[in-house]
Amino acid sequence: MAEWDAPWLAAAVQQLRRAHAAGRLPSALLIHEQRGTGGSALAQLAAQLALCRAATAPCGECRDCRLVRSGQHPDFIRVAPMEDSRLIRVEQIRDLREQLALTSHAGGASVALIAPADAMNANAANALLKTLEEPRAGVTLILLTSMPSALPATVVSRCQRLRVAVPERAAAIAWLEQRRGTGPWEAVLDVLGEAPFEALEIDAAEVARLQAETHAALAGLDAGTLDITRTAEAWGRAASLELRLACLENWLTSRIEEGMRPVRQPRELRSGAHSPAARSELNMTRLLRALDGLHELRRLRLSSINRPLALEVLLRELAQR
Ligand SMILES: [Zn+2]
């Protein structure tokens, strides 16, 4: 099964295949996806189309195809933020330009994937512009991003754009079941958002467990029985903090959506038990403030803030609503 077989990618896959068949695979391709919807699979297809020399490229069987798939093809260069950094720096783009200026190892095509492209700082994007302006024949540059607006217009305008469709929930679940078997995929996508490619890589049972545990704790918060300090300490120190924050955000967003609905409808709630009495006391301002705090916490999670303390502040905010 190819990585790009997901049904919502079909239109984009066809667009790439047609361009390749017509000998018009773009020298610069900007893949715009919502995180986790399959942009990386499309990038891999583009790389195999460019590098596979079989008549029916991508054949999936030849040495080039296999090396692209295993991430070891010498003419498929990946540029990503360095460890412990969220940025792609100008030095990395200069290195890339030097590598691309040389002829490829096989004397044929070269492909570079910059992902996420919006991680390039301004200097890096400027350095890339030179490569985009004077492309060497046989070079395919692929920029993968979920935030094209964060890229300079001068960069975007030089790329052919490929938009990845966001899958319907049912289609995403059917695909995940096909790839990984039955599992708590509904809960996983509630936590991750519509990101089936991310769900594919994750321990689904663990995510479902975290979500149930988080909802139980928040029910305890409503009932006034939760030990806030201890919970914040345990959550803040765990390796699962990022997923925990995603569970919290999902829960908060559901509460806010409920609060904004003018008439309460007998709709099944996505996020578990929540008493009608507590719901009627929703305090939108506090919920929105908590959501702001949560976004800030998710943004800062890699830095050296006191995570348990930040979580405690957030939980106390929610306890008072
Ligand atoms: Zn091949």
Side-chain angles (χ1 to χ4, degrees), residues 284-303:
M284 193 55 71
T285 314
R286 280 194 184 280
L287 280 176
L288 289 170
R289 199 184 307 153
L291 188 61
D292 267 354
L294 186 58
H295 285 157
E296 185 68 1
L297 195 54
R298 292 192 79 177
R299 200 174 62 75
L300 293 173
R301 74 193 184 287
L302 290 174
S303 67

Side-chain angles (χ1 to χ4, degrees), residues 52 54 58-62 65:
C52 172
C59 69
E61 306 289 335
C62 71
C65 283

Side-chain angles (χ1 to χ4, degrees), residues 104-123:
S104 75
H105 286 78
S110 299
V111 180
L113 169 62
I114 303 176
D118 48 85
M120 284 189 290
N121 64 17
N123 287 342

Side-chain angles (χ1 to χ4, degrees), residues 254-318:
S254 297
R255 293 289 88 78
I256 289 168
E257 280 169 7
E258 273 169 51
M260 300 216 303
R261 219 173 290 140
V263 183
R264 199 183 304 150
Q265 289 153 0
R267 200 190 87 160
E268 193 189 335
L269 296 176
R270 283 198 312 172
S271 298
H274 198 73
S275 76
R279 230 186 316 166
S280 66
E281 290 160 21
L282 280 177
N283 181 324
M284 193 55 71
T285 314
R286 280 194 184 280
L287 280 176
L288 289 170
R289 199 184 307 153
L291 188 61
D292 267 354
L294 186 58
H295 285 157
E296 185 68 1
L297 195 54
R298 292 192 79 177
R299 200 174 62 75
L300 293 173
R301 74 193 184 287
L302 290 174
S303 67
S304 56
I305 57 161
N306 183 333
R307 296 165 186 176
L309 185 64
L311 272 169
E312 187 172 340
V313 170
L314 185 75
L315 288 173
R316 293 208 184 281
E317 180 90 41
L318 282 173

Side-chain angles (χ1 to χ4, degrees), residues 103-171:
T103 47
S104 75
H105 286 78
S110 299
V111 180
L113 169 62
I114 303 176
D118 48 85
M120 284 189 290
N121 64 17
N123 287 342
N126 267 331
L128 182 71
L129 204 52
K130 293 238 173 65
T131 309
L132 288 169
E133 281 165 346
E134 305 147 13
R136 176 174 72 72
V139 168
T140 305
L141 265 177
I142 307 170
L143 278 64
L144 177 61
T145 181
S146 53
M147 280 193 295
S149 61
L151 289 164
T154 44
V155 167
V156 174
S157 67
R158 283 177 172 80
C159 299
Q160 202 174 108
R161 199 140 153 175
L162 189 64
R163 182 73 205 252
V164 183
V166 177
E168 298 285 337
R169 177 62 69 94

Side-chain angles (χ1 to χ4, degrees), residues 94-115:
R94 287 199 192 119
D95 284 351
L96 172 67
R97 285 183 55 200
E98 274 172 32
Q99 281 177 277
L100 290 177
L102 307 167
T103 47
S104 75
H105 286 78
S110 299
V111 180
L113 169 62
I114 303 176

Side-chain angles (χ1 to χ4, degrees), residues 210 235-246 297 301 307 311:
L210 266 178
W235 290 3
R237 302 226 174 272
S240 56
L241 178 63
E242 184 154 1
L243 279 172
R244 177 79 67 187
L245 295 178
L297 195 54
R301 74 193 184 287
R307 296 165 186 176
L311 272 169

Side-chain angles (χ1 to χ4, degrees), residues 206-219:
E206 174 62 10
V207 175
R209 192 194 65 73
L210 266 178
Q211 193 203 34
E213 189 193 76
T214 307
H215 289 170
L218 291 166

